[in-house]
mmCIF file of all heavy atoms in Angstrom:
data_model
loop_
_atom_site.group_PDB
_atom_site.id
_atom_site.type_symbol
_atom_site.label_atom_id
_atom_site.label_comp_id
_atom_site.label_asym_id
_atom_site.label_seq_id
_atom_site.Cartn_x
_atom_site.Cartn_y
_atom_site.Cartn_z
ATOM 1 N N ASP A 2 109.202 99.798 164.729
ATOM 2 C CA ASP A 2 110.312 98.911 164.345
ATOM 3 C C ASP A 2 110.924 98.322 165.605
ATOM 4 O O ASP A 2 111.901 98.827 166.135
ATOM 5 C CB ASP A 2 111.373 99.651 163.516
ATOM 6 C CG ASP A 2 112.316 98.700 162.805
ATOM 7 O OD1 ASP A 2 112.020 97.476 162.799
ATOM 8 O OD2 ASP A 2 113.329 99.166 162.277
ATOM 9 N N VAL A 3 110.290 97.259 166.085
ATOM 10 C CA VAL A 3 110.769 96.569 167.273
ATOM 11 C C VAL A 3 110.832 95.087 166.940
ATOM 12 O O VAL A 3 110.359 94.649 165.900
ATOM 13 C CB VAL A 3 109.844 96.792 168.487
ATOM 14 C CG1 VAL A 3 109.760 98.263 168.856
ATOM 15 C CG2 VAL A 3 108.454 96.250 168.220
ATOM 16 N N ALA A 8 105.394 84.926 166.909
ATOM 17 C CA ALA A 8 105.359 83.747 166.038
ATOM 18 C C ALA A 8 106.446 82.753 166.413
ATOM 19 O O ALA A 8 106.407 81.604 165.979
ATOM 20 C CB ALA A 8 105.546 84.177 164.577
ATOM 21 N N LEU A 29 94.130 89.372 164.274
ATOM 22 C CA LEU A 29 92.853 88.897 163.711
ATOM 23 C C LEU A 29 92.856 87.367 163.586
ATOM 24 O O LEU A 29 91.868 86.705 163.875
ATOM 25 C CB LEU A 29 92.613 89.537 162.332
ATOM 26 C CG LEU A 29 91.311 89.188 161.621
ATOM 27 C CD1 LEU A 29 90.117 89.754 162.364
ATOM 28 C CD2 LEU A 29 91.340 89.708 160.198
ATOM 29 N N GLU A 37 101.404 80.967 167.749
ATOM 30 C CA GLU A 37 102.523 81.053 166.806
ATOM 31 C C GLU A 37 102.013 80.889 165.369
ATOM 32 O O GLU A 37 102.512 81.553 164.473
ATOM 33 C CB GLU A 37 103.571 79.950 167.092
ATOM 34 C CG GLU A 37 104.160 80.005 168.472
ATOM 35 C CD GLU A 37 103.433 79.059 169.446
ATOM 36 O OE1 GLU A 37 102.179 78.986 169.397
ATOM 37 O OE2 GLU A 37 104.112 78.405 170.231
ATOM 38 N N ARG A 44 103.444 86.790 157.581
ATOM 39 C CA ARG A 44 104.667 86.515 156.804
ATOM 40 C C ARG A 44 104.335 85.562 155.672
ATOM 41 O O ARG A 44 104.799 85.732 154.524
ATOM 42 C CB ARG A 44 105.737 85.932 157.724
ATOM 43 C CG ARG A 44 107.017 85.507 157.023
ATOM 44 C CD ARG A 44 107.945 86.650 156.760
ATOM 45 N NE ARG A 44 107.806 87.146 155.406
ATOM 46 C CZ ARG A 44 108.246 88.337 154.979
ATOM 47 N NH1 ARG A 44 108.865 89.153 155.795
ATOM 48 N NH2 ARG A 44 108.074 88.715 153.748
ATOM 49 N N ALA A 47 102.483 87.451 152.957
ATOM 50 C CA ALA A 47 103.409 88.349 152.220
ATOM 51 C C ALA A 47 104.286 87.533 151.269
ATOM 52 O O ALA A 47 104.465 87.904 150.114
ATOM 53 C CB ALA A 47 104.274 89.119 153.208
ATOM 54 N N ASP A 59 96.112 96.449 148.282
ATOM 55 C CA ASP A 59 96.261 95.253 147.449
ATOM 56 C C ASP A 59 95.358 94.145 147.943
ATOM 57 O O ASP A 59 94.641 93.495 147.133
ATOM 58 C CB ASP A 59 97.733 94.813 147.467
ATOM 59 C CG ASP A 59 97.942 93.540 146.658
ATOM 60 O OD1 ASP A 59 97.552 93.515 145.481
ATOM 61 O OD2 ASP A 59 98.459 92.563 147.217
ATOM 62 N N ALA A 67 90.392 83.987 144.835
ATOM 63 C CA ALA A 67 91.839 83.837 144.666
ATOM 64 C C ALA A 67 92.555 84.050 145.996
ATOM 65 O O ALA A 67 93.505 83.335 146.312
ATOM 66 C CB ALA A 67 92.364 84.838 143.603
ATOM 67 N N SER A 69 91.269 83.559 148.982
ATOM 68 C CA SER A 69 90.966 82.396 149.812
ATOM 69 C C SER A 69 91.851 81.212 149.418
ATOM 70 O O SER A 69 92.384 80.504 150.279
ATOM 71 C CB SER A 69 89.491 82.026 149.636
ATOM 72 O OG SER A 69 89.192 80.886 150.395
ATOM 73 N N LYS A 75 98.874 74.726 151.071
ATOM 74 C CA LYS A 75 99.541 74.007 152.158
ATOM 75 C C LYS A 75 100.917 74.629 152.420
ATOM 76 O O LYS A 75 101.641 74.917 151.486
ATOM 77 C CB LYS A 75 99.693 72.523 151.846
ATOM 78 C CG LYS A 75 98.391 71.827 151.573
ATOM 79 C CD LYS A 75 97.626 71.592 152.832
ATOM 80 C CE LYS A 75 96.384 70.770 152.518
ATOM 81 N NZ LYS A 75 95.212 71.161 153.272
ATOM 82 N N GLN A 91 87.981 92.056 154.713
ATOM 83 C CA GLN A 91 87.068 93.048 155.348
ATOM 84 C C GLN A 91 87.865 94.037 156.168
ATOM 85 O O GLN A 91 87.596 95.238 156.128
ATOM 86 C CB GLN A 91 86.039 92.325 156.201
ATOM 87 C CG GLN A 91 84.991 91.580 155.420
ATOM 88 C CD GLN A 91 84.119 90.682 156.288
ATOM 89 O OE1 GLN A 91 84.481 90.292 157.393
ATOM 90 N NE2 GLN A 91 82.945 90.347 155.770
ATOM 91 N N GLN A 94 89.666 96.335 153.706
ATOM 92 C CA GLN A 94 88.722 97.241 153.070
ATOM 93 C C GLN A 94 88.325 98.388 154.040
ATOM 94 O O GLN A 94 88.240 99.547 153.640
ATOM 95 C CB GLN A 94 87.471 96.476 152.600
ATOM 96 C CG GLN A 94 87.779 95.626 151.375
ATOM 97 C CD GLN A 94 86.787 94.478 151.149
ATOM 98 O OE1 GLN A 94 85.896 94.252 151.965
ATOM 99 N NE2 GLN A 94 86.964 93.750 150.056
ATOM 100 N N VAL A 97 91.253 100.790 154.248
ATOM 101 C CA VAL A 97 91.310 101.632 153.054
ATOM 102 C C VAL A 97 90.261 102.736 153.138
ATOM 103 O O VAL A 97 90.542 103.903 152.865
ATOM 104 C CB VAL A 97 91.124 100.755 151.767
ATOM 105 C CG1 VAL A 97 90.879 101.633 150.550
ATOM 106 C CG2 VAL A 97 92.353 99.881 151.545
ATOM 107 N N HIS A 99 88.625 103.959 155.844
ATOM 108 C CA HIS A 99 88.678 104.872 156.991
ATOM 109 C C HIS A 99 90.059 105.455 157.280
ATOM 110 O O HIS A 99 90.166 106.497 157.935
ATOM 111 C CB HIS A 99 88.154 104.171 158.232
ATOM 112 C CG HIS A 99 86.699 103.797 158.142
ATOM 113 N ND1 HIS A 99 85.694 104.650 158.492
ATOM 114 C CD2 HIS A 99 86.116 102.665 157.678
ATOM 115 C CE1 HIS A 99 84.536 104.054 158.278
ATOM 116 N NE2 HIS A 99 84.753 102.853 157.771
ATOM 117 N N VAL A 111 96.638 109.264 168.574
ATOM 118 C CA VAL A 111 95.505 109.139 169.512
ATOM 119 C C VAL A 111 96.070 109.310 170.924
ATOM 120 O O VAL A 111 97.003 108.611 171.318
ATOM 121 C CB VAL A 111 94.811 107.755 169.380
ATOM 122 C CG1 VAL A 111 93.699 107.606 170.396
ATOM 123 C CG2 VAL A 111 94.285 107.573 167.968
ATOM 124 N N ARG A 119 88.097 102.224 171.402
ATOM 125 C CA ARG A 119 86.933 102.372 170.545
ATOM 126 C C ARG A 119 87.291 102.149 169.085
ATOM 127 O O ARG A 119 86.618 101.441 168.353
ATOM 128 C CB ARG A 119 86.312 103.764 170.713
ATOM 129 C CG ARG A 119 85.002 103.968 169.941
ATOM 130 C CD ARG A 119 84.531 105.400 169.951
ATOM 131 N NE ARG A 119 85.435 106.309 169.256
ATOM 132 C CZ ARG A 119 85.579 106.388 167.933
ATOM 133 N NH1 ARG A 119 84.864 105.602 167.135
ATOM 134 N NH2 ARG A 119 86.419 107.270 167.386
ATOM 135 N N GLU A 122 87.958 98.476 168.471
ATOM 136 C CA GLU A 122 86.711 97.704 168.500
ATOM 137 C C GLU A 122 85.907 97.881 167.206
ATOM 138 O O GLU A 122 85.115 97.018 166.841
ATOM 139 C CB GLU A 122 85.856 98.108 169.687
ATOM 140 C CG GLU A 122 86.357 97.555 170.998
ATOM 141 C CD GLU A 122 85.427 97.900 172.146
ATOM 142 O OE1 GLU A 122 84.433 97.166 172.343
ATOM 143 O OE2 GLU A 122 85.670 98.894 172.840
ATOM 144 N N GLY A 140 100.750 99.009 173.881
ATOM 145 C CA GLY A 140 101.342 99.715 175.023
ATOM 146 C C GLY A 140 102.576 99.058 175.596
ATOM 147 O O GLY A 140 103.572 99.707 175.866
ATOM 148 N N VAL A 145 103.146 102.449 172.161
ATOM 149 C CA VAL A 145 101.937 103.281 171.922
ATOM 150 C C VAL A 145 101.203 103.348 173.258
ATOM 151 O O VAL A 145 100.519 102.391 173.637
ATOM 152 C CB VAL A 145 101.057 102.695 170.809
ATOM 153 C CG1 VAL A 145 99.817 103.525 170.618
ATOM 154 C CG2 VAL A 145 101.858 102.578 169.507
ATOM 155 N N THR A 148 97.229 108.325 177.145
ATOM 156 C CA THR A 148 96.752 108.444 178.518
ATOM 157 C C THR A 148 95.611 107.450 178.772
ATOM 158 O O THR A 148 94.667 107.373 177.985
ATOM 159 C CB THR A 148 96.243 109.871 178.779
ATOM 160 O OG1 THR A 148 97.316 110.785 178.473
ATOM 161 C CG2 THR A 148 95.801 110.059 180.210
ATOM 162 N N GLY A 158 96.227 94.975 180.384
ATOM 163 C CA GLY A 158 97.164 96.085 180.518
ATOM 164 C C GLY A 158 98.023 96.010 181.759
ATOM 165 O O GLY A 158 98.996 96.760 181.915
ATOM 166 N N VAL A 166 98.977 87.566 174.282
ATOM 167 C CA VAL A 166 100.151 87.830 173.426
ATOM 168 C C VAL A 166 100.865 89.128 173.805
ATOM 169 O O VAL A 166 102.045 89.294 173.508
ATOM 170 C CB VAL A 166 99.766 87.859 171.930
ATOM 171 C CG1 VAL A 166 99.205 86.539 171.491
ATOM 172 C CG2 VAL A 166 98.810 88.991 171.616
ATOM 173 N N SER A 174 108.025 83.455 178.515
ATOM 174 C CA SER A 174 106.761 84.170 178.721
ATOM 175 C C SER A 174 105.623 83.491 177.933
ATOM 176 O O SER A 174 104.477 83.487 178.384
ATOM 177 C CB SER A 174 106.875 85.653 178.367
ATOM 178 O OG SER A 174 107.423 85.813 177.080
ATOM 179 N N LYS A 177 104.285 80.864 180.120
ATOM 180 C CA LYS A 177 103.460 81.441 181.183
ATOM 181 C C LYS A 177 102.058 81.802 180.674
ATOM 182 O O LYS A 177 101.067 81.574 181.356
ATOM 183 C CB LYS A 177 104.121 82.676 181.802
ATOM 184 C CG LYS A 177 105.343 82.351 182.639
ATOM 185 C CD LYS A 177 105.955 83.630 183.199
ATOM 186 C CE LYS A 177 107.195 83.343 183.997
ATOM 187 N NZ LYS A 177 107.808 84.568 184.528
ATOM 188 N N ALA A 189 86.737 77.491 183.565
ATOM 189 C CA ALA A 189 85.473 77.597 182.807
ATOM 190 C C ALA A 189 84.789 76.243 182.717
ATOM 191 O O ALA A 189 83.561 76.142 182.892
ATOM 192 C CB ALA A 189 85.738 78.151 181.416
ATOM 193 N N LYS A 193 81.188 75.285 184.355
ATOM 194 C CA LYS A 193 80.117 74.731 183.535
ATOM 195 C C LYS A 193 79.586 73.441 184.142
ATOM 196 O O LYS A 193 78.375 73.195 184.199
ATOM 197 C CB LYS A 193 80.632 74.519 182.117
ATOM 198 C CG LYS A 193 79.567 74.094 181.117
ATOM 199 C CD LYS A 193 80.149 73.961 179.725
ATOM 200 C CE LYS A 193 79.079 73.539 178.745
ATOM 201 N NZ LYS A 193 79.615 73.370 177.385
ATOM 202 N N ARG A 196 77.328 73.956 187.110
ATOM 203 C CA ARG A 196 75.976 74.456 186.788
ATOM 204 C C ARG A 196 75.023 73.338 186.408
ATOM 205 O O ARG A 196 73.822 73.542 186.386
ATOM 206 C CB ARG A 196 76.035 75.501 185.680
ATOM 207 C CG ARG A 196 76.611 76.841 186.111
ATOM 208 C CD ARG A 196 76.350 77.924 185.090
ATOM 209 N NE ARG A 196 76.987 77.653 183.813
ATOM 210 C CZ ARG A 196 78.191 78.093 183.458
ATOM 211 N NH1 ARG A 196 78.884 78.812 184.282
ATOM 212 N NH2 ARG A 196 78.683 77.827 182.268
#
Side-chain angles (χ1 to χ4, degrees):
D2 195 10
V3 299
L29 182 67
E37 302 94 319
R44 175 81 264 163
D59 178 54
S69 179
K75 302 285 185 218
Q91 289 170 338
Q94 287 160 355
V97 167
H99 296 273
V111 178
R119 184 189 66 74
E122 285 183 84
V145 178
T148 303
V166 297
S174 52
K177 289 180 182 179
K193 187 177 180 181
R196 287 193 298 267

